[in-house]
Amino acid sequence: MCASANPVPTGRIDSDSIYYELYQKSIELGTWDANKLVEKVGFEEDKEVWDSLEEDEKEQWARLISYFIDGEQAVAADARRIMKSVSSPHFDRSLEKEMFASALAVEEAKHTQFFDLYITNVMEDKFPQYKIDNRRGGIQIPRTEACGAGEMFERQGTLQAQAAHGGNPADIARAATNYHIGVEGILARGGYYLKNNMMQESPLPLLNKGFQFISTDEGRHITFGLEVLQELIEKEREGVPEYQGVQKAIWDQAVEDIGYIVDTAYFVTNDVGDPLNADFDGVINRGSNLAGDMLFNTLELEGASARDFAMAASDAVNEAEGSTYDDVIDEYEHIYSQRMAGD
Ligand SMILES: [Fe+2]
Ligand SMILES: [Fe+2]
């Protein structure tokens, strides 16, 4: 199906590279068209279900979807920085990585487009504020701003900028951990777990279809990120001086991110009384398994254990349970309204 199954000789491109394989898969499978998808499936059925939902059920969906649209836009915006980081001299080869990063950029733009189309045509009553371009308005949707996800996306921008502008291997590792393990690998995949549960109570077929395409694309992005991290770890294990500290950077960032992620999970579930049975405990368990699998099975991180990670997650759960978010939403709604009025 991809290049390796039917090899056509390449010149400067290494066709055995995993990055090239991922790129080819994006070219082949990542070509779905968000606009055509919504036209083909139509909004009618989703709109009918949406209109039948109780207010608290709508609120629960809105909390989940707000962090998806803002998150997709944030990762799309930072894709340019990934292109820059992977071209740094800290990697032996860059061409195939840059090829894949360009596909990732298009895919993240498409994910942003899908959620924008969906909110506008189905959920707009719960999103009076979502139209300002983050880059111009400077703030995310009030619900995103109120929970850990908003903070996590801002942190992502800072880390990616540090990595792209002359960052050392530990800076690149930190940024890749936050983006590919934290945001894509746990926050987004935890979100799929929540939406799967919520779909049992309130099936939204078009939204589900979009999520299916998006999660397939995300699978490649996560694989890419783990490969990049493995390259850096390998150099550290070989004892190359400038790569020392890579594994520590990965661990530190993973622990920082778990705080943002658990807070977001709590915000979307128990803070609203979980009317659609999204299941807070279940998503925490799912997130811990995903993290453990990436950090300890795939990367074989040294100096920390899955147990340490579970303890960090449990501290974050205790902290989230003491949080209140409504005042923060109100505050940001006020700021957002002012920005919109100023447009
Ligand atoms: Fe995405
Ligand atoms: Fe992604």
Side-chain angles (χ1 to χ4, degrees):
M1 151 189 117
C2 58
S4 55
N6 181 21
V8 179
T10 48
R12 67 178 60 183
I13 295 168
D14 174 9
S15 60
D16 289 332
S17 160
I18 173 82
Y19 304 106
Y20 177 67
E21 230 174 86
L22 289 167
Y23 165 80
Q24 266 306 116
K25 277 189 190 161
S26 273
I27 295 300
E28 211 179 304
L29 307 170
T31 52
W32 61 282
D33 178 334
N35 210 52
K36 278 201 183 122
L37 175 71
V38 301
E39 274 175 2
K40 193 172 150 231
V41 179
F43 295 108
E44 295 74 19
E45 211 178 319
D46 288 60
K47 189 82 185 107
E48 206 173 298
V49 174
W50 179 253
D51 289 340
S52 75
L53 296 180
E54 302 289 337
E55 198 45 40
D56 60 343
E57 295 171 332
K58 284 187 174 184
E59 175 62 24
Q60 187 165 25
W61 273 119
R63 288 185 178 204
L64 180 74
I65 299 306
S66 73
Y67 91 67
F68 268 96
I69 187 173
D70 280 339
E72 295 292 3
Q73 190 186 338
V75 289
D78 279 328
R80 69 204 164 99
R81 291 168 167 154
I82 293 179
M83 275 187 233
K84 202 147 183 251
S85 305
V86 295
S87 70
S88 96
H90 299 302
F91 295 104
D92 294 335
R93 288 188 63 85
S94 293
L95 172 59
E96 299 79 11
K97 292 186 192 69
E98 288 171 329
M99 289 170 77
F100 180 75
S102 65
L104 174 147
V106 173
E107 288 166 8
E108 301 300 13
K110 199 190 311 183
H111 301 170
T112 311
Q113 178 195 7
F114 174 78
F115 286 112
D116 190 50
L117 289 166
Y118 195 84
I119 290 172
T120 305
N121 291 282
V122 179
M123 296 180 162
E124 207 185 4
D125 58 325
K126 286 299 283 182
F127 285 85
Q129 298 162 317
Y130 75 100
K131 291 186 178 172
I132 293 179
D133 177 353
N134 293 352
R135 294 242 164 239
R136 300 281 170 262
I139 63 164
Q140 307 171 93
I141 296 170
R143 286 186 189 85
T144 311
E145 290 281 0
C147 71
E151 229 174 304
M152 190 173 186
F153 302 148
E154 276 156 24
R155 186 82 171 106
Q156 176 193 297
T158 308
L159 292 172
Q160 287 291 344
Q162 278 166 353
H165 301 294
N168 64 31
D171 294 331
I172 298 173
R174 214 173 226 282
T177 301
N178 165 268
Y179 191 108
H180 302 290
I181 293 183
V183 173
E184 298 183 314
I186 309 175
L187 186 68
R189 286 198 288 185
Y192 309 150
Y193 175 94
L194 298 173
K195 77 91 190 159
N196 282 339
N197 288 340
M198 290 158 73
M199 287 281 174
Q200 304 295 316
E201 307 286 326
S202 63
L204 297 163
L206 172 60
L207 183 62
N208 209 25
K209 197 81 207 149
F211 263 116
Q212 274 170 23
F213 282 117
I214 289 167
S215 61
T216 306
D217 292 344
E218 292 300 340
R220 291 189 298 278
H221 305 173
I222 296 163
T223 305
F224 165 83
L226 292 171
E227 286 293 331
V228 165
L229 288 169
Q230 262 166 321
E231 271 191 47
L232 298 171
I233 291 173
E234 224 165 273
K235 286 274 188 359
E236 181 178 29
R237 286 187 182 139
E238 284 166 11
V240 186
E242 62 195 281
Y243 294 81
Q244 301 312 303
V246 160
Q247 292 182 82
K248 187 179 179 304
I250 295 172
W251 173 251
D252 288 349
Q253 193 54 46
V255 169
E256 182 188 326
D257 288 340
I258 198 65
Y260 304 133
I261 295 166
V262 167
D263 186 75
T264 307
Y266 186 81
F267 176 70
V268 174
T269 57
N270 290 358
D271 187 60
V272 269
D274 200 12
L276 295 169
N277 297 320
D279 185 6
F280 178 68
D281 293 340
V283 78
I284 294 303
N285 197 23
R286 171 89 182 123
S288 298
N289 289 341
L290 288 167
D293 195 43
M294 291 183 283
L295 295 171
F296 303 108
N297 294 343
T298 305
L299 299 181
E300 297 177 329
L301 214 62
E302 290 153 8
S305 70
R307 210 172 149 259
D308 298 329
F309 193 82
M311 278 167 66
S314 129
D315 288 347
V317 170
N318 290 334
E319 207 168 305
E321 283 172 346
S323 300
T324 47
Y325 305 88
D326 289 346
D327 291 350
V328 189
I329 296 180
D330 286 348
E331 185 193 327
Y332 277 100
E333 274 178 355
H334 181 67
I335 297 170
Y336 206 105
S337 302
Q338 284 180 324
R339 296 271 162 91
M340 281 181 85
D343 259 9

